Amino acid sequence: MEYVFYVFLFISLYFQIFLLVSFFEKKVDGSSDTDTKEYDLLTTTIIVPCYNEESTVVRTINSLLALDYPKDKLIIMIIDDGSTDTTWQVIQQFVNDPRIRLYQKQNEGSKFAALNYALDHVNTELVGVLDADSWVEPQALKNYMEFFADPEVMATIPSMVIADPDSPMRRAQKAEYDIGLFARKSFANLNSIYITPGPFSVFRKYVFDTLGPYQEAHHTEDAEIALRMQVHGYKIAYSDNSIVYTVGPKTTKPLIKQRVRWTYGFLKNMFDYRGLLFKKRYQHLGLIVLPVGIFRIFISVILFPLSVWLLFVPLWKWYQKVSVVGWNPTWSWNVDWFFVGVSQVQLLAVVGVFISIMTIWIGRELVGDRRKFTIDIFYMFFMYTFIAPLWLLQSTYNALVSRKGTWR
Amino acid sequence: MKRTDYQKYLVVLLITMGVFFVVFTLVNTINNRRIASIEDLQQSITADLIATETQFDLLKTAPCEVLEKGSVLSRELGEFGQKLEFAQSQGADDPDVQQLKKYYSLLQVKDYLLMQEIADKCGTHIDAILYFYATECEDCIKQGYVLTEFKKRYPEIRIYSFDTDLDFSVIDTFAGLYDFDAVYPTLIINNKVYQSFQTLDNLEALLPEIVAAQVLQDRIDEGRNYILSLPEYDGVQSKDIENTNVMSEVYTYTISGSDTDMVLRLVFDPVTNEFSLDE
């Protein structure tokens, strides 16, 4: 049993180091880019699907209107997906802007239908999505053009940042998304991006013309389209200078619900796309990124309770001691080595935590955030220790018995 | 896949193996050190067992002052105990540690009996706590913490602890002397049996003399520090100041100088908790 732990730890650590190495690897075919270079600005449509987003949609649309992009090359399609609140009335204020197109449709219970409805009306070279709870920085779209200059690049994804976290769970997600930036860059270097997230992923229209529209895909259409592109060898790039802000669920319950949907969707999609796994043809994606991605869900269920145990037992002992004799620390520099009790598992856990914190810093560096020790990091470890096992177990169970989570 | 890609898998594998190697080596080194010091411990305990035997022989002839100062065992005993407990918590049921604990228990019994003999012969009183515990006992962990803290506050106390799960006839016989039920933690303080968790306050109430002695000792040390803080005794070393007498609140110290000794009397004011020079 003990050895199983070590195997798990070994694979986790291997993957962490693998991503680190990939991150710093110089791209072999990287052309000597210069910032002053002008790229073609392709005509672009951004689709904003809204379902009861009256409070956030205005900020989203305003950020799109503020994009530093030629007015005649940008179309913003706002799809009211049968909202039951005042979303439709609220978006009427934009009706006079020549870039804005407003559509209203019946709700069909899933986002992919709204996206496909919009895709039917798109006739630009590029088409992107922006969730109505997210907003972009003015340069976000222009920065994409550097990547679309490469005719092989079929989609580009942005740097996602949690904006102004105001609750412990949002702070936890802030640190988590910062790691995500690091991972995204590594995956991009490995040509293994397997998700094109709702906030501001932009595709060539060619993708949908040749591969077909979005699919239901267990409520994770953003993962399915990326996997479909990977199967067909379409390249997905990551533009770290394109920043999109999003908020994330504020409290634990909706967070768990969201993550159950994500993890469930990931597992089901992986089952649908199992042909990608362990195939040399799909390179790093098939050989390591996806298999470890699946594997990590299962080992997390085991490793996280273990780390709770490692953390909790000394804390409980310390608490017991303090409760009977009070807190009177005597600190001495003469550490008697006899009383240093560390196990291999504990030390390896420390190494893992250290690398995690490093990757948070690297992720922040990508978006120009130089803060190091922030409370977010603590919240993130808390979230991953106590809350993540809940959604991992729930979604694994759901995937096994094929119970569908709800979309919202 | 290019050849460089496979090379990367290999390089990462080597790095990861390197990390594992370092971690395992480090833990091994620490464990080896522990094993080495357990072996040292074994030798010390064996030597101390022989020393106790000899002390018993000397008991007949040696004068009391020598005997009372002679036994340094009690101090070492505490350290032995802590190390053994820790070694046991780390290495579950290491037979070496089990064996060592038996020797240790034996040593404690001998030391306790020796102390009793000395007390009888010299007509003095020695405060001791006998502590019997078991592994499956929630309160015993807490009781252990309390006793460790008590020993820290009152170093003069002699604490003898016995693991009743050790399956060692000496412990069974010794426990039989006091005839108590197998309920743990069990404490025997001055021949009275207490079979429940005792807080720090309880212990202090049960052993008022040792508490009073410690308070007095602390006060004497405070007085010494007070003398050191006075400007006219600048340059005097702490070891040159000796307390020679305490009468109610008057503390007499002798300061040994290079040529002559000097006697100084301090008055302690219990209201303000401060010392002053006796005029």
Side-chain angles (χ1 to χ4, degrees), chain A residues 50-58 79-92 104 107 132 408:
Chain A
C50 325
Y51 177 73
N52 294 350
E53 315 271 8
E54 57 183 14
S55 56
T56 57
V57 71
V58 174
I79 315 294
D80 176 16
D81 194 8
S83 296
T84 53
D85 66 355
T86 61
T87 303
W88 181 246
Q89 286 83 341
V90 167
I91 58 178
Q92 292 309 314
Q104 195 173 24
N107 188 281
R408 289 179 193 273

Side-chain angles (χ1 to χ4, degrees), chain A residues 7 13 34 42 84 97 114 116 133 135 143 164 178 206 229 257 279 285 295 302 304 306 354 376 380 407:
Chain A
V7 171
L13 196 64
T34 46
L42 306 174
T84 53
D97 192 293
N116 286 342
D133 61 353
W135 62 101
N143 288 337
D164 310 319
D178 290 342
Y206 176 82
M229 288 173 70
K257 205 169 167 186
K279 296 278 164 55
L285 181 76
F295 182 72
I302 295 166
F304 286 124
L306 172 76
F354 177 75
D376 319 3
M380 188 196 74
W407 179 38

Side-chain angles (χ1 to χ4, degrees), chain A residues 6-7 9-11 13-15 17-18 21-22 25 28 189-190 280-285 287-288 316-318 320-326 328-330 336-345 347-348 351, chain B residues 1-2 4-6 8-17 19-20 23-24 26-28 30-31 33-35 37-38 41 79 82-84 86-87 89-90 138 141-142 145-147 149 152-153 197 199-200:
Chain A
Y6 289 131
V7 171
L9 281 170
F10 190 88
I11 294 174
L13 196 64
Y14 182 92
F15 194 60
I17 295 172
F18 183 75
V21 170
S22 308
E25 213 173 28
V28 190
N189 283 351
L190 294 167
K280 225 170 134 180
R281 186 150 42 101
Y282 299 110
Q283 306 194 343
H284 298 298
L285 181 76
L287 288 180
I288 181 163
W316 169 245
K317 282 192 173 168
W318 180 81
Q320 265 194 329
K321 189 173 173 182
V322 166
S323 67
V324 290
V325 299
N328 39 2
T330 44
D336 187 345
W337 279 98
F338 192 92
F339 292 107
V340 176
V342 286
S343 65
Q344 289 90 335
V345 176
L347 274 185
L348 289 170
V351 173
Chain B
M1 295 286 277
K2 285 171 286 189
T4 51
D5 288 336
Y6 291 114
K8 186 157 94 182
Y9 286 135
L10 196 69
V11 167
V12 174
L13 183 71
L14 288 178
I15 298 175
T16 316
M17 277 162 54
V19 171
F20 264 67
V23 164
F24 275 70
L26 197 68
V27 172
N28 253 340
I30 294 173
N31 284 345
R33 278 189 183 215
R34 186 173 303 127
I35 290 167
S37 34
I38 285 176
L41 212 59
E79 194 199 322
Q82 277 180 14
K83 287 195 169 179
L84 284 173
F86 187 81
S89 73
Q90 290 293 305
E138 201 38 48
I141 300 167
K142 279 166 35 184
Y145 291 140
V146 168
L147 288 172
E149 181 66 19
K152 211 162 90 190
R153 289 193 196 175
F197 170 68
T199 64
L200 214 50

